[in-house]
Amino acid sequence: MRRADLTGLTGLNRSTIAGLVAELAALGAVTQEPGPPARANPPGKAGRPSPVVRTCPETVQVLAADVAVGHISMALVGLGGSVVARCTAPVSDGSPEAMAALLVSIGRELMGRPEAGRKVVGLGVSVPGVVRGRDGNVRFAPNLGWEDAPFRDLVAQALAAQGLGSLPVRVGNDGDLGALAEHLRGVARGVDDLVFVEGEVGVGCGVIIGGRALGGAGGYAGELGHMTVRRGGRRCRCGARGCWETEIGTEALIRALGLPDGSAESDVVALLRVGGPKRVAQLDTVAHFLGIGLANVVNLLNPRLIVLGGLLRDLYPMVSARVGEALAGAALAAPMEQVTLALPELGGDAVLLGAAEFAWQDTLADPATVLG
Ligand SMILES: [Zn+2]
């Protein structure tokens, strides 16, 4: 991309962009080459060609981690969202301390694969829970069984214990990070009002309104998985009854499909992919509550786009008619006319790539701090 185009895209002035690009080039994250001469120059302007800036994903990367129920996925990600290496490991001890130590050891292994001149500049971590923005404290992650876990500090301590103490760490909510990635690089590029819904054991959501992430007073906004959609419904792990996630999350799918309790997500996905009228009928109630929850989202937030991630990627196409019926029945006409439902363009990687973008933010804001 031409450096002049970066000026236009970011709204930053030419000298600020030139300075940032020079620092990123010194770091090795980008290269600059002389660009082709401009086709037409205004009269009287010599018009030096704008340099062409290219990312170097093989040289400088961040570590991204997606902490889920039962496993951790990690990747080394270059500037521009390219995954250079990845690894998923099952979790045997789900305590915050053990998860932090496991996460760092997976990260170390990924970084340890020898690549000459590689530099890792940050670690972004996604957690399926309510995360305090200012210090990465996980206030409540009901499906992990965590309450007030100082997870950013625990990860920082594990990094120090494993000899990687200088790596800056950021911890965010899975839905927020999925929204960030789809907004920057996925199906929601150019869409400034969107909701991302990650359906797994829990239902994580991220909201971007007017191009800005909706954080709320403490960074906890957008816990749409705990909207009440069914009065007197099942008890949720948060303590309430009839939350959206108890009606459409993995466990609801397991029950609806008649799978044994405790079945793996992969078993659910396998059945969803088989499809067929019998499965569609079994999923009727789940589809209804997916539509009811989406109607609440539409009425409350007036999004242009709702991105359905996680298990919803396989569920929604199967039951879209039933979802649409419930949605149209409960949503107001005006916001309903403006919304489109979509699947994530980044597939199952939306949250992981969002964690990477989150980790890049410090470096991109001030590359000089990483250069030391
Ligand atoms: Zn709940």
Side-chain angles (χ1 to χ4, degrees), residues 226 236 238 243:
H226 299 283
C236 177
C238 77
C243 290

Side-chain angles (χ1 to χ4, degrees), residues 288 291-292 294-296 299 321-333 336:
H288 169 77
I292 295 293
L294 290 173
N296 287 327
N299 289 347
R322 184 74 174 102
V323 173
E325 201 179 290
L327 169 58
L332 297 171
M336 184 65 200

Side-chain angles (χ1 to χ4, degrees), residues 22 24 46 113 274 310 320 370:
L24 285 170
R113 293 175 190 170
V274 171
S320 58
V370 184

Side-chain angles (χ1 to χ4, degrees), residues 142-143 201-204 225-226 236-237 243-250 252:
N143 297 307
V201 174
V203 172
H226 299 283
C236 177
R237 287 211 178 82
C243 290
W244 200 22
E245 73 176 40
T246 61
E247 300 303 328
I248 69 162
T250 309

Side-chain angles (χ1 to χ4, degrees), residues 71-229:
H71 65 271
I72 296 178
S73 297
M74 289 193 71
L76 274 172
V77 183
L79 191 58
S82 12
V83 173
V84 178
R86 65 163 73 219
C87 175
T88 295
V91 170
S92 52
D93 177 350
S95 68
E97 293 77 9
M99 292 278 247
L102 174 64
L103 188 157
V104 171
S105 66
I106 302 169
R108 248 177 85 96
E109 195 184 310
L110 282 174
M111 288 164 64
R113 293 175 190 170
E115 298 285 343
R118 167 184 288 166
K119 190 169 204 164
V120 175
V121 296
L123 166 59
V125 181
S126 158
V127 172
V130 179
V131 180
R132 186 160 62 204
R134 66 180 158 84
D135 60 3
N137 182 310
V138 180
R139 296 296 310 282
F140 189 41
N143 297 307
L144 296 173
W146 297 1
E147 218 170 317
D148 277 321
F151 199 57
R152 192 181 71 186
D153 290 349
L154 291 171
V155 171
Q157 283 161 20
L159 284 167
Q162 298 193 38
L164 298 168
S166 60
L167 209 57
V169 184
R170 282 183 160 216
V171 176
N173 166 270
D174 56 351
D176 291 344
L177 297 177
L180 173 69
E182 287 294 328
H183 184 49
L184 286 174
R185 310 204 177 283
V187 67
R189 273 191 311 272
V191 177
D192 279 345
D193 298 284
L194 69 124
V195 177
F196 178 86
V197 184
E198 174 87 349
E200 293 181 339
V201 174
V203 172
C205 296
V207 180
I208 292 176
I209 294 292
R212 296 175 68 99
L214 184 73
Y220 312 142
E223 282 298 319
L224 303 170
H226 299 283
M227 287 186 294
T228 306
V229 295

